[in-house]
Amino acid sequence: MLAAMDSIRLAIAQFAPRLGQLETNLARHGEFIEEARTGGADLLVFPELSLTGYQLQDLSADVAMRLDDPRLADLAHVADGISTIVSFVEESDDHRLFIAAALLEEGEVRHVQRKVFLPTYGLFDERRFFAPGDQIRAASSSLGVELGIGVCEDFWHVAVPQALALDGASLLINVSSSPGRDVAATNEVGLGTASSWRTIMRTYAQLTTSFVVFCNRVGIEESISFWGGSEVIAPNGAPIFSAPLYDEGLFFVDIAPADVRRERIGLPLLRDERLELQVRELQRIIRKRANIADDPIDDSRAGMP
Amino acid sequence: MTDHAAFDLPKELAIDTGVARRVIGEFIKAQLQQAGFERAVLGLSGGIDSALVAYLVTEAIGAERLLCVLMPYRTSAPASRADAEEVVRRLGCASELVEISPMVDAFYGPDTDASALRRGNFMARMRMAVLYDRSVTSGGLVVGTGNKTEGLIGYTTLYGDNACAFNPIGDLYKSQVRQLAAAMGVPDRIIRKAPSADLWPGQTDEAEAGFSYPELDRLLFWRIDQRRSVDEVVALGFARELVDRADRMVAGSEFKRQMPPIAKLGPRTAGVDYLYPRRRPGSARG
């Protein structure tokens, strides 16, 4: 692994992709990349489905790209020099469609994280159109820190940020297209969705003792409003940066990777995780939930001196 | 139950009006932009719903891009028209007066025994027809003005007042409409007066339907948004008779809230397995 930089300048592109307009969005990415370069960014993060928009439905197949798509290669070339995370519909060789986030570095697609959890409830209908990813992997990067990338709903399942941190990531990045809902006056910043996300992302930062970057889009598609409110949270759970709700913008935030070491020395939660215990109990719970009786041989062994 | 003098706002229904205004403003702008329109047109009755929408549209795109159409029938209350004119005056938007009496009376004739319901529905559909004509002549999208309460209980006319290109306030209960209207400076008289379909002198929604809006709003909020069972809302203090009645109204008007079903025959059928966003590439007016 490369030596970590003293300071990493993040750029968060909180913007409104045009629904189904891949070429327009590619051009817009190019503009943000240049603006990020001018601002001295080391890492540029775009929101979920930044190249396509979110509410695609039957347009999903029309805007899908294979990982060897020349447009993606061109974008990686444009982004050369800045670690850049973009998101799009990925089509696999066997024609499954995935919601994917890709890390572009040094002119190529360095890592792809397919969305693992596809919400299909309430206002969401993702599983109808997309296949779920099957891997949760930290990504090494030229920044000298490992990145843990998740897509929106992936971070509503505690296993994902936990696995990413245990796999080596110290900078967790969630790219989102989160629709805002519940404007009850009692909510923090007046929006129920914002309260929920803030609570869980700050909790993940603290529990994984990692930086957490939340990049959420803005804009309107059909009935829904994406609320922005992107954040950067320190490894002690304290928010470093909170973007305004609903405003478009490219936001720069400097973070110090040394904060991770300091936090993990002082609060060695990751050191103390007990994965074998977790796996053992999970295997038991899987059997229980599937109504499969415990293996009697295992039981007899458990009783032996 | 409330600390506001002008109206009754149940505390669980109170919204953050700043966030709501922002969301609705962005929504209005996006709906127009994505459809390739720059202007909006709406029917202004003198009531609070259409007044609020006029204020919201004005805040989003400016009064110079809004046309309010006043469409009284000969039995409509003169006060309604005066209130509508006050909104137009305050906002400084364009307005047009289109009397619908000749259209309605020509259809029914002078000595009709048509019920108030039939006549009311017909009036609502005449107003819709006028608005869609003015949509063409003014180059504006028709903005809906129905609120969540009336939408849920079905107190709307299908293809009448519920016809629109988009609706900015359809997810706000009547009490929340009042709260937002107060926050935006809609004239107090409009906020205070009893809601009415204005089909005959002295008619009010609440007298006709036998409920109060704050009570019905709370009930719908707990039943629908908060997914409480009948027994649970009765335990919250709602009369079982009211709960049953509201449930029947909601279920009975489901058809008004959905596109009509198409008999499935071909491989791909609109709304069934042909699913595209309304605003897909190429859908905007050129």
Side-chain angles (χ1 to χ4, degrees):
Chain A
M1 190 167 81
L2 297 164
M5 305 153 122
D6 290 343
S7 177
I8 295 174
R9 174 159 291 188
L10 309 171
I12 298 172
Q14 179 172 299
F15 84 115
R18 294 291 183 88
L19 183 60
Q21 299 181 28
L22 194 51
E23 301 305 325
T24 304
N25 293 324
L26 280 162
R28 196 76 207 284
H29 279 59
E31 292 166 11
F32 276 118
I33 288 166
E34 288 319 308
E35 194 180 338
R37 196 188 308 281
T38 304
D42 302 303
L43 173 62
L44 169 61
V45 185
F46 288 94
E48 179 184 18
L49 292 174
S50 58
L51 286 168
T52 63
Y54 178 75
Q55 199 80 292
L56 292 162
Q57 298 182 294
D58 284 349
L59 292 173
S60 303
D62 298 352
V63 298
M65 289 190 289
R66 292 166 47 97
L67 291 180
D68 60 4
D69 192 297
R71 290 168 296 189
L72 211 48
D74 288 348
L75 189 62
H77 180 69
V78 170
D80 191 11
I82 306 175
S83 301
T84 301
I85 295 169
V86 301
S87 178
F88 53 96
V89 178
E90 179 205 341
E91 181 167 348
S92 62
D93 290 341
D94 59 355
H95 310 298
R96 286 179 294 162
L97 305 180
F98 299 92
I99 298 176
L103 171 65
L104 312 179
E105 280 189 341
E106 290 159 14
E108 59 185 37
V109 178
R110 178 64 60 84
H111 176 86
V112 175
Q113 180 65 51
R114 293 168 169 172
K115 190 172 190 175
V116 171
F117 289 100
L118 300 172
T120 306
Y121 58 79
L123 73 173
F124 303 107
D125 200 16
E126 293 181 12
R127 191 64 181 87
R128 176 183 174 87
F129 302 100
F130 298 107
D134 290 311
Q135 291 189 342
I136 304 167
R137 300 284 160 85
S140 59
S141 88
S142 55
L143 299 167
V145 298
E146 291 198 43
L147 309 181
I149 302 168
V151 183
C152 202
E153 185 86 355
D154 288 348
F155 273 43
W156 280 78
H157 295 266
V158 68
V160 176
Q162 187 192 34
L164 289 169
L166 289 166
D167 199 32
S170 58
L171 181 50
L172 306 184
I173 298 163
N174 182 279
V175 299
S176 278
S177 288
S178 169
R181 48 219 188 272
D182 184 10
V183 295
T186 47
N187 291 313
E188 181 192 7
V189 297
L191 188 67
T193 319
S195 303
S196 309
W197 273 100
R198 286 175 175 218
T199 302
I200 66 170
M201 299 304 262
R202 291 167 192 187
T203 303
Y204 291 146
Q206 176 68 97
L207 294 184
T208 64
T209 49
S210 302
F211 281 104
V212 171
V213 176
F214 171 60
C215 177
N216 187 30
R217 63 164 290 184
V218 293
I220 309 279
E221 288 181 1
E222 313 290 279
S223 290
I224 58 182
S225 318
F226 301 96
W227 56 278
S230 299
E231 287 208 313
V232 179
I233 303 148
N236 64 1
I240 300 171
F241 169 77
S242 301
L245 269 52
Y246 301 108
D247 289 341
E248 192 164 289
L250 181 67
F251 302 102
F252 292 89
V253 185
D254 293 321
I255 61 169
D259 288 349
V260 172
R261 180 176 190 272
R262 190 177 303 112
E263 187 67 21
R264 289 182 182 183
I265 296 290
L267 187 66
L269 301 179
L270 286 183
R271 181 197 71 186
D272 295 345
E273 292 293 353
R274 297 192 55 196
L275 299 187
E276 70 297 330
L277 170 64
Q278 208 171 335
V279 167
R280 207 162 55 236
E281 293 300 334
L282 283 174
Q283 285 172 339
R284 177 186 62 78
I285 291 163
I286 290 166
R287 288 197 300 273
K288 186 172 79 173
R289 284 171 55 132
N291 240 341
I292 302 166
D294 277 341
D295 187 334
I297 297 169
D298 281 354
D299 283 346
S300 64
R301 279 183 185 162
M304 284 168 71
Chain B
M1 196 184 245
T2 175
D3 54 3
H4 198 287
F7 58 91
D8 192 4
L9 175 63
K11 68 176 188 307
E12 65 267 54
L13 295 183
I15 59 169
D16 187 309
T17 55
V19 172
R21 268 165 98 159
R22 181 73 198 272
V23 170
I24 292 171
E26 297 290 339
F27 174 80
I28 291 168
K29 283 186 278 191
Q31 293 300 325
L32 292 174
Q33 182 256 323
Q34 291 168 12
F37 283 73
E38 292 182 347
R39 309 176 63 82
V41 54
L42 62 84
L44 194 67
S45 68
I48 187 170
D49 297 328
S50 58
L52 173 61
V53 174
Y55 271 70
L56 288 163
V57 170
T58 298
E59 183 168 83
I61 62 171
E64 69 282 3
R65 295 205 270 163
L66 170 64
L67 170 65
C68 287
V69 188
L70 283 59
M71 297 170 283
Y73 182 67
R74 56 184 166 74
T75 59
S76 300
S80 300
R81 181 169 156 188
D83 288 338
E85 285 169 344
E86 174 67 7
V87 168
V88 168
R89 193 184 65 74
R90 288 205 191 187
L91 293 177
C93 59
S95 71
E96 185 184 1
L97 181 70
V98 179
E99 301 265 4
I100 61 165
S101 310
M103 296 180 245
V104 177
D105 292 348
F107 179 72
Y108 285 112
D111 301 317
T112 180
D113 57 357
S115 66
L117 178 70
R118 281 175 60 200
R119 299 173 65 82
N121 281 333
F122 195 80
M123 288 176 211
R125 293 186 179 115
M126 285 299 100
R127 293 186 174 112
M128 177 278 295
V130 169
L131 283 176
Y132 274 86
D133 180 71
R134 289 306 186 249
S135 173
V136 177
T137 58
S138 74
L141 277 186
V142 176
V143 187
T145 60
N147 64 62
K148 185 170 184 170
T149 311
E150 65 185 24
L152 283 173
I153 63 173
Y155 198 58
T156 65
T157 298
L158 194 59
Y159 307 119
D161 56 302
N162 78 347
C164 62
F166 61 89
N167 182 339
I169 64 163
D171 206 17
L172 292 177
Y173 289 110
K174 191 79 176 188
S175 306
Q176 296 168 329
V177 165
R178 288 169 170 152
Q179 187 197 357
L180 188 54
M184 296 199 69
V186 171
D188 214 38
R189 196 163 62 128
I190 295 176
I191 297 173
R192 286 170 186 271
K193 71 180 177 184
S196 170
D198 206 5
L199 297 178
W200 58 82
Q203 181 198 23
T204 69
D205 295 359
E206 287 163 312
E208 196 183 356
F211 53 69
S212 84
Y213 270 116
E215 184 183 28
L216 180 62
D217 289 349
R218 283 189 67 229
L219 172 58
L220 292 171
F221 173 78
W222 286 109
R223 266 306 267 137
I224 292 171
D225 294 282
Q226 301 300 320
R227 301 174 191 265
R228 295 296 197 273
S229 70
V230 170
D231 287 342
E232 284 169 333
V233 292
V234 168
L236 284 173
F238 292 98
R240 189 173 290 272
E241 185 186 294
L242 175 69
V243 178
D244 290 342
R245 187 156 153 254
D247 274 7
R248 281 196 303 274
M249 293 171 95
V250 171
S253 57
E254 211 60 71
F255 72 97
K256 293 188 180 182
R257 292 184 290 275
Q258 299 180 25
M259 294 293 285
I262 296 170
K264 174 77 178 159
L265 295 169
R268 289 184 85 192
T269 309
V272 180
D273 44 17
Y274 172 88
L275 301 174
Y276 284 90
R278 287 169 72 93
R279 296 306 170 198
R280 55 187 287 192
S283 69
R285 191 175 65 155

